[in-house]
mmCIF file of all heavy atoms in Angstrom:
data_model
loop_
_atom_site.group_PDB
_atom_site.id
_atom_site.type_symbol
_atom_site.label_atom_id
_atom_site.label_comp_id
_atom_site.label_asym_id
_atom_site.label_seq_id
_atom_site.Cartn_x
_atom_site.Cartn_y
_atom_site.Cartn_z
ATOM 1 N N ASN Z 140 -40.577 -38.739 -60.922
ATOM 2 C CA ASN Z 140 -39.995 -39.787 -61.774
ATOM 3 C C ASN Z 140 -39.696 -39.254 -63.183
ATOM 4 O O ASN Z 140 -39.813 -39.980 -64.159
ATOM 5 C CB ASN Z 140 -40.964 -40.967 -61.846
ATOM 6 C CG ASN Z 140 -40.314 -42.241 -62.393
ATOM 7 O OD1 ASN Z 140 -39.140 -42.516 -62.165
ATOM 8 N ND2 ASN Z 140 -41.082 -43.026 -63.111
ATOM 9 N N ALA Z 141 -39.362 -37.990 -63.224
ATOM 10 C CA ALA Z 141 -39.005 -37.312 -64.497
ATOM 11 C C ALA Z 141 -40.150 -37.370 -65.535
ATOM 12 O O ALA Z 141 -39.873 -37.437 -66.716
ATOM 13 C CB ALA Z 141 -37.712 -37.915 -65.061
ATOM 14 N N GLY Z 142 -41.389 -37.428 -65.005
ATOM 15 C CA GLY Z 142 -42.518 -37.419 -65.931
ATOM 16 C C GLY Z 142 -42.864 -38.759 -66.521
ATOM 17 O O GLY Z 142 -43.788 -38.867 -67.324
ATOM 18 N N LYS Z 143 -42.117 -39.793 -66.128
ATOM 19 C CA LYS Z 143 -42.396 -41.139 -66.677
ATOM 20 C C LYS Z 143 -43.627 -41.724 -66.045
ATOM 21 O O LYS Z 143 -43.881 -41.559 -64.865
ATOM 22 C CB LYS Z 143 -41.183 -42.040 -66.420
ATOM 23 C CG LYS Z 143 -39.897 -41.613 -67.121
ATOM 24 C CD LYS Z 143 -38.756 -42.566 -66.781
ATOM 25 C CE LYS Z 143 -37.465 -42.116 -67.434
ATOM 26 N NZ LYS Z 143 -36.317 -42.963 -67.063
ATOM 27 N N GLU Z 144 -44.397 -42.475 -66.856
ATOM 28 C CA GLU Z 144 -45.614 -43.110 -66.347
ATOM 29 C C GLU Z 144 -45.235 -44.140 -65.253
ATOM 30 O O GLU Z 144 -44.217 -44.821 -65.329
ATOM 31 C CB GLU Z 144 -46.366 -43.802 -67.469
ATOM 32 C CG GLU Z 144 -46.920 -42.856 -68.516
ATOM 33 C CD GLU Z 144 -48.032 -41.980 -67.945
ATOM 34 O OE1 GLU Z 144 -48.650 -42.380 -66.938
ATOM 35 O OE2 GLU Z 144 -48.292 -40.881 -68.498
ATOM 36 N N LEU Z 145 -46.125 -44.263 -64.277
ATOM 37 C CA LEU Z 145 -45.919 -45.240 -63.243
ATOM 38 C C LEU Z 145 -46.197 -46.631 -63.783
ATOM 39 O O LEU Z 145 -47.034 -46.837 -64.636
ATOM 40 C CB LEU Z 145 -46.834 -44.962 -62.044
ATOM 41 C CG LEU Z 145 -46.759 -43.573 -61.411
ATOM 42 C CD1 LEU Z 145 -47.752 -43.498 -60.255
ATOM 43 C CD2 LEU Z 145 -45.341 -43.263 -60.928
ATOM 44 N N SER Z 146 -45.497 -47.619 -63.270
ATOM 45 C CA SER Z 146 -45.728 -48.986 -63.655
ATOM 46 C C SER Z 146 -47.147 -49.407 -63.331
ATOM 47 O O SER Z 146 -47.704 -49.026 -62.287
ATOM 48 C CB SER Z 146 -44.739 -49.902 -62.948
ATOM 49 O OG SER Z 146 -45.162 -51.278 -63.063
ATOM 50 N N PRO Z 147 -47.797 -50.182 -64.164
ATOM 51 C CA PRO Z 147 -49.169 -50.707 -63.853
ATOM 52 C C PRO Z 147 -49.190 -51.484 -62.558
ATOM 53 O O PRO Z 147 -50.236 -51.598 -61.912
ATOM 54 C CB PRO Z 147 -49.505 -51.578 -65.050
ATOM 55 C CG PRO Z 147 -48.668 -51.064 -66.154
ATOM 56 C CD PRO Z 147 -47.361 -50.635 -65.519
ATOM 57 N N GLN Z 148 -48.043 -52.041 -62.167
ATOM 58 C CA GLN Z 148 -47.957 -52.828 -60.909
ATOM 59 C C GLN Z 148 -47.539 -52.008 -59.718
ATOM 60 O O GLN Z 148 -47.344 -52.524 -58.634
ATOM 61 C CB GLN Z 148 -46.965 -53.983 -61.082
ATOM 62 C CG GLN Z 148 -47.443 -55.130 -61.991
ATOM 63 C CD GLN Z 148 -47.438 -54.781 -63.432
ATOM 64 O OE1 GLN Z 148 -46.425 -54.205 -63.922
ATOM 65 N NE2 GLN Z 148 -48.489 -55.131 -64.151
ATOM 66 N N ASP Z 149 -47.440 -50.657 -59.918
ATOM 67 C CA ASP Z 149 -47.028 -49.799 -58.824
ATOM 68 C C ASP Z 149 -48.011 -49.914 -57.691
ATOM 69 O O ASP Z 149 -49.238 -49.900 -57.865
ATOM 70 C CB ASP Z 149 -46.997 -48.322 -59.311
ATOM 71 C CG ASP Z 149 -46.198 -47.418 -58.361
ATOM 72 O OD1 ASP Z 149 -46.479 -47.457 -57.152
ATOM 73 O OD2 ASP Z 149 -45.326 -46.679 -58.860
ATOM 74 N N PHE Z 150 -47.488 -50.015 -56.471
ATOM 75 C CA PHE Z 150 -48.291 -50.160 -55.259
ATOM 76 C C PHE Z 150 -49.251 -49.026 -55.065
ATOM 77 O O PHE Z 150 -50.314 -49.180 -54.440
ATOM 78 C CB PHE Z 150 -47.373 -50.283 -54.045
ATOM 79 C CG PHE Z 150 -48.096 -50.383 -52.746
ATOM 80 C CD1 PHE Z 150 -48.721 -51.522 -52.347
ATOM 81 C CD2 PHE Z 150 -48.167 -49.269 -51.885
ATOM 82 C CE1 PHE Z 150 -49.433 -51.591 -51.153
ATOM 83 C CE2 PHE Z 150 -48.863 -49.323 -50.701
ATOM 84 C CZ PHE Z 150 -49.481 -50.513 -50.293
ATOM 85 N N VAL Z 151 -48.949 -47.880 -55.615
ATOM 86 C CA VAL Z 151 -49.817 -46.684 -55.410
ATOM 87 C C VAL Z 151 -51.153 -46.828 -56.075
ATOM 88 O O VAL Z 151 -52.125 -46.165 -55.702
ATOM 89 C CB VAL Z 151 -49.076 -45.387 -55.857
ATOM 90 C CG1 VAL Z 151 -49.062 -45.318 -57.368
ATOM 91 C CG2 VAL Z 151 -49.727 -44.149 -55.278
ATOM 92 N N HIS Z 152 -51.254 -47.682 -57.108
ATOM 93 C CA HIS Z 152 -52.535 -47.856 -57.803
ATOM 94 C C HIS Z 152 -53.518 -48.661 -56.918
ATOM 95 O O HIS Z 152 -53.173 -49.719 -56.447
ATOM 96 C CB HIS Z 152 -52.339 -48.623 -59.135
ATOM 97 C CG HIS Z 152 -51.463 -47.909 -60.129
ATOM 98 N ND1 HIS Z 152 -51.689 -46.614 -60.485
ATOM 99 C CD2 HIS Z 152 -50.370 -48.332 -60.797
ATOM 100 C CE1 HIS Z 152 -50.766 -46.260 -61.379
ATOM 101 N NE2 HIS Z 152 -49.991 -47.276 -61.595
ATOM 102 N N PRO Z 153 -54.702 -48.174 -56.717
ATOM 103 C CA PRO Z 153 -55.717 -48.921 -55.931
ATOM 104 C C PRO Z 153 -55.932 -50.339 -56.453
ATOM 105 O O PRO Z 153 -56.151 -51.269 -55.660
ATOM 106 C CB PRO Z 153 -56.986 -48.089 -56.014
ATOM 107 C CG PRO Z 153 -56.496 -46.679 -56.239
ATOM 108 C CD PRO Z 153 -55.269 -46.830 -57.123
ATOM 109 N N GLU Z 154 -55.864 -50.530 -57.757
ATOM 110 C CA GLU Z 154 -56.084 -51.844 -58.330
ATOM 111 C C GLU Z 154 -55.018 -52.818 -57.815
ATOM 112 O O GLU Z 154 -55.312 -54.018 -57.508
ATOM 113 C CB GLU Z 154 -56.002 -51.806 -59.847
ATOM 114 C CG GLU Z 154 -57.144 -51.000 -60.475
ATOM 115 C CD GLU Z 154 -56.832 -49.504 -60.581
ATOM 116 O OE1 GLU Z 154 -55.818 -49.089 -59.996
ATOM 117 O OE2 GLU Z 154 -57.593 -48.814 -61.250
ATOM 118 N N THR Z 155 -53.758 -52.381 -57.732
ATOM 119 C CA THR Z 155 -52.694 -53.237 -57.214
ATOM 120 C C THR Z 155 -52.890 -53.560 -55.764
ATOM 121 O O THR Z 155 -52.708 -54.697 -55.281
ATOM 122 C CB THR Z 155 -51.319 -52.566 -57.450
ATOM 123 O OG1 THR Z 155 -51.130 -52.300 -58.837
ATOM 124 C CG2 THR Z 155 -50.178 -53.425 -56.948
ATOM 125 N N LEU Z 156 -53.245 -52.533 -55.028
ATOM 126 C CA LEU Z 156 -53.444 -52.647 -53.602
ATOM 127 C C LEU Z 156 -54.542 -53.654 -53.266
ATOM 128 O O LEU Z 156 -54.377 -54.570 -52.457
ATOM 129 C CB LEU Z 156 -53.744 -51.276 -53.011
ATOM 130 C CG LEU Z 156 -53.713 -51.075 -51.502
ATOM 131 C CD1 LEU Z 156 -53.402 -49.612 -51.184
ATOM 132 C CD2 LEU Z 156 -55.082 -51.416 -50.915
ATOM 133 N N PHE Z 157 -55.678 -53.525 -53.956
ATOM 134 C CA PHE Z 157 -56.818 -54.372 -53.673
ATOM 135 C C PHE Z 157 -56.666 -55.789 -54.260
ATOM 136 O O PHE Z 157 -57.254 -56.721 -53.736
ATOM 137 C CB PHE Z 157 -58.117 -53.735 -54.191
ATOM 138 C CG PHE Z 157 -58.619 -52.631 -53.311
ATOM 139 C CD1 PHE Z 157 -58.780 -51.324 -53.796
ATOM 140 C CD2 PHE Z 157 -58.970 -52.880 -51.993
ATOM 141 C CE1 PHE Z 157 -59.234 -50.322 -53.020
ATOM 142 C CE2 PHE Z 157 -59.443 -51.849 -51.149
ATOM 143 C CZ PHE Z 157 -59.582 -50.575 -51.696
#
Side-chain angles (χ1 to χ4, degrees):
N140 194 35
K143 297 178 182 177
E144 294 293 336
L145 304 180
S146 166
Q148 287 75 45
D149 196 311
F150 176 75
V151 75
H152 297 309
E154 294 86 351
T155 301
L156 191 152
F157 283 120

